[in-house]
Amino acid sequence: MADINDWKALADKEVKGRDLTWNTPEGIAVKPLYTAEDVTTDPGLPGFAPFTRGVKASMYAGRPWTIRQYAGFSTAEESNAFYRRNLAAGQKGLSVAFDLATHRGYDSDHPRVVGDVGMAGVAIDSVEDMKILFDGIPLDEMSVSMTMNGAVIPCLAFYIIAAEEQGVSPEKLTGTIQNDILKEFMVRNTYIYPPEPSMRIISDIFAYTADNMPKFNSISISGYHMQEAGATQVQELAFTIADGMEYVKYGVASGLDIDKFAGRLSFFFAIGMNFFMEIAKLRAARTLWHRAMTQLGAQSERSKMLRTHCQTSGVSLQEQDPYNNVMRTTIEAMAAMLGGTQSLHTNALDEAIALPTDFSARIARNTQIVIQEETGMCNVVDPLGGSYYIEALTKELVDKAWEIIERVENEGGMAKAVAAGWPKAMIEEAAAGRQARVDRGEDVIVGVNKYRRDQEDPIETLEVDNHKVREAQIARIKRTREGRDEAKCQAALKALTEGAKGKGNLLALAVDAARERATLGEISDAMETAFGRYGTMPTPVKGIYGSAYAGDSRYQQVLDGVEAVTTRLGRAPKLFVAKMGQDGHDRGANVIASAFGDMGFDVVTGPLFQTPEEACKMAVENGVDAVGASSLAAGHKTLIPELIGHLKDAGRADIKVVAGGVIPQQDYDFLKRAGVQGIYGPGSNVVECAADVLRLLGHNMPPADDALEAAE
């Protein structure tokens, strides 16, 4: 019988001695063959500690995962109609996407959110909106997940009162509130208050739900947005588990019994295109959480059991050749299923460009239904358990993630690590490295940097009329305020502020204010009076992108171009990277700032959440040559033309404005007519973006040669 040495000799002969080891971004050396010798840990059985093989003994053979599609757009009426159509077509649970104004604690009539209302989720300003959102959907029968962190207190309060006015008491409510603020400070940035009061909010929600909402998950600890921001799977795994440990410690410190609330904690992971790594990651997460909770003193096995929702990757979706996204989502959905998720959202094919249409949402939903009902995949519990490769990979992920977790704990926990900034820096370095590998063609994306089509076919996308939605929301806010008992409302808001200054339970006080028809912005402001509003300034990483391009001829052409412009101007060309509106997703902006800095540009990074007027002022004061406006939340048609108008009014129409991010092709002409001089959508090669900006600044930049064009 052949042994491993016989195999190695034969394989070496077939590949002429080429090393087949795959060195992953996680720092894992994946071998081309795994055997029983590589399995050093017994994963146990499904339903039993450490739950590596699943949290239920029967898993999907007994009951498949919940199909929980994440959706919300425009008005509560529109979103409600969308939910009801999807539920009728086989969806089993709801997952609410809120617009950015809501996330950031602003009512729709606030001047800072003009371009954000209803654009990337549903606008919720009061209980009245929440009641409409769930009209005809019995909340004692429907599990509801809400992706909300910043304005978590008013949104959860509105949900509780909307249910109450349906005749449903809090103890009957099932679902999840994300409520994961540490992740927001690292990557997604939809925070409102500073870290300490934000952590108090979480503890208050733990306490309220433990007493009043026993079936409701009080937090969904999210690694999803970390991977979307560029984290490797090891980083996503480690920081998510470490966040969970921090929340547990805060809950215990606030006086809660660990086993009273820990069983209602849930998790949320991204599922990307590294198929086996994602399967192993979910298995490793369950192993790690069992270990962590044992260390933290949990006695109940339920407290040590990691239950998770998953969502297929948004960042893996591409604008180019978008029907490839259907296949990407299918592969990712299979990884989530084989990893043992409890619920799943599958992204629609057009989400790299715009909000999903009914057509694309149906394909995304049916992807799950087909896997559940046509393939036989659900009939065996943990079908990859015992795979030499999967078991070895699970163990490697556990070990590598635990090293990072131990560093976090040795430095005082995740809150201190987030304040120090090193987890965010690690993730941004990983993102810059990934972008460089894609731009160089080392990481293949079909239809983007390989097998690219000569001409893209247009696809129909959903467009929200921001002005119409905002006007409708403002009218409803006005009616709500006119119809309430103002004295009772103001008294409830004052009690909330006093509670925030003292030790009152913030959710309980907000429920009282919501019942009196206080708006989301008023409830947020009542707490802001006590806590203040938090803001940060991005700090781009240096050297990661540039080092990946050492010796590259096209990269050198750009460096030479920057040097030539520098000689002509007497200074380096100056680019201002602007994030306007309430969109906190800053991966793209950070990558551009880092890469352009490495190429020799003088890069000015603005704070998040600027208005166009504030961005204009900063551009003028810093004497920039160009503004790169990053837009990922559909505000580009409002915010960028407004910025150009302000620049003209300031006498600086000479400043070039370019745009990047999630911008549908059909909007390009509109933006160009408004004065935008370059538009760079998902999949754009950053080196070529820089070359284009140099052309705009008057440099005779040579075009990419044929070989480079073929690689793009």
Side-chain angles (χ1 to χ4, degrees), residues 53-54 58-61 63-65 271 275 278-280 282-283 286 308-312 329-346 367-368 370-373 375-384:
R53 301 191 66 186
S58 58
M59 286 302 290
Y60 310 141
R63 180 178 173 271
W65 67 92
I271 304 293
F275 185 74
E278 294 291 8
I279 295 166
L282 295 185
R283 302 171 95 251
R286 292 191 289 269
T308 190
H309 172 72
C310 289
Q311 180 174 339
T312 60
T329 294
T330 303
I331 290 164
E332 291 166 354
M334 287 173 59
M337 172 263 161
L338 290 165
T341 191
Q342 276 62 67
S343 64
L344 179 62
H345 165 90
T346 34
T367 300
Q368 296 194 56
V370 168
I371 293 173
Q372 283 189 359
E373 301 193 16
T375 64
M377 288 187 188
C378 296
N379 296 337
V380 173
V381 179
D382 189 29
L384 290 183

Side-chain angles (χ1 to χ4, degrees), residues 262-389:
R264 300 311 310 177
L265 308 184
S266 65
F267 287 78
F268 174 29
F269 287 102
I271 304 293
M273 284 296 287
N274 193 343
F275 185 74
F276 292 106
M277 191 77 75
E278 294 291 8
I279 295 166
K281 180 184 78 184
L282 295 185
R283 302 171 95 251
R286 292 191 289 269
T287 308
L288 285 163
W289 187 242
H290 186 273
R291 182 188 296 180
M293 291 300 287
T294 302
Q295 285 193 8
L296 290 171
Q299 299 299 310
S300 165
E301 288 299 292
R302 180 174 171 77
S303 299
K304 305 175 187 180
M305 187 187 292
L306 182 145
R307 295 160 301 112
T308 190
H309 172 72
C310 289
Q311 180 174 339
T312 60
S313 170
V315 79
S316 73
L317 302 176
Q318 303 299 325
E319 178 184 26
Q320 296 80 7
D321 208 359
Y323 289 101
N324 289 340
N325 294 333
V326 177
M327 294 167 282
R328 292 185 178 106
T329 294
T330 303
I331 290 164
E332 291 166 354
M334 287 173 59
M337 172 263 161
L338 290 165
T341 191
Q342 276 62 67
S343 64
L344 179 62
H345 165 90
T346 34
N347 287 328
L349 68 95
D350 48 2
E351 286 188 66
I353 310 162
L355 291 165
T357 61
D358 275 5
F359 169 75
S360 66
R362 186 179 82 246
I363 293 172
R365 181 182 61 253
N366 286 350
T367 300
Q368 296 194 56
I369 295 173
V370 168
I371 293 173
Q372 283 189 359
E373 301 193 16
E374 291 190 23
T375 64
M377 288 187 188
C378 296
N379 296 337
V380 173
V381 179
D382 189 29
L384 290 183
S387 156
Y388 303 141
Y389 177 34

Side-chain angles (χ1 to χ4, degrees), residues 424-575:
K424 185 177 180 70
M426 279 180 71
I427 292 169
E428 288 182 5
E429 286 175 9
R434 163 70 173 171
Q435 186 65 49
R437 293 193 302 276
V438 170
D439 286 350
R440 286 177 59 81
E442 294 164 3
D443 288 4
V444 172
I445 301 176
V446 174
V448 176
N449 63 2
K450 198 172 184 180
Y451 312 114
R452 188 155 184 170
R453 302 183 70 195
D454 293 332
Q455 187 173 343
E456 298 288 343
D457 298 326
I459 65 168
E460 183 185 343
T461 57
L462 181 69
E463 185 167 359
V464 173
D465 186 336
N466 164 241
H467 297 287
K468 186 178 175 183
V469 174
R470 188 165 182 266
E471 284 171 6
Q473 289 300 121
I474 290 171
R476 187 177 293 142
I477 291 171
K478 187 170 181 288
R479 288 195 301 273
T480 299
R481 286 176 176 152
E482 287 172 348
R484 70 193 185 186
D485 185 322
E486 192 63 26
K488 285 185 177 178
C489 181
Q490 293 305 321
L493 289 168
K494 186 180 178 184
L496 176 56
T497 298
E498 292 306 309
K501 290 176 179 176
K503 295 188 176 179
N505 186 286
L506 296 169
L507 181 52
L509 291 163
V511 167
D512 293 340
R515 191 176 286 113
E516 301 302 336
R517 283 347 191 228
T519 67
L520 176 128
E522 290 168 338
I523 292 172
S524 298
D525 286 349
M527 291 186 289
E528 189 177 334
T529 300
F531 299 150
R533 184 172 277 264
Y534 187 73
T536 57
M537 186 72 79
T539 307
V541 298
K542 298 183 186 323
I544 304 296
Y545 193 91
S547 63
Y549 268 91
D552 182 272
S553 58
R554 181 56 171 173
Y555 190 76
Q556 189 59 50
Q557 283 183 335
V558 172
L559 297 184
D560 294 343
V562 173
E563 190 175 340
V565 173
T566 300
T567 301
R568 173 162 55 83
L569 297 176
R571 56 168 177 79
K574 203 171 221 184
L575 173 73

Side-chain angles (χ1 to χ4, degrees), residues 689-709:
C689 293
D692 202 42
V693 171
L694 288 173
R695 290 188 197 99
L696 290 175
L697 299 181
H699 180 67
N700 187 21
M701 189 69 204
D705 62 34
D706 292 341
L708 281 162
E709 287 179 343

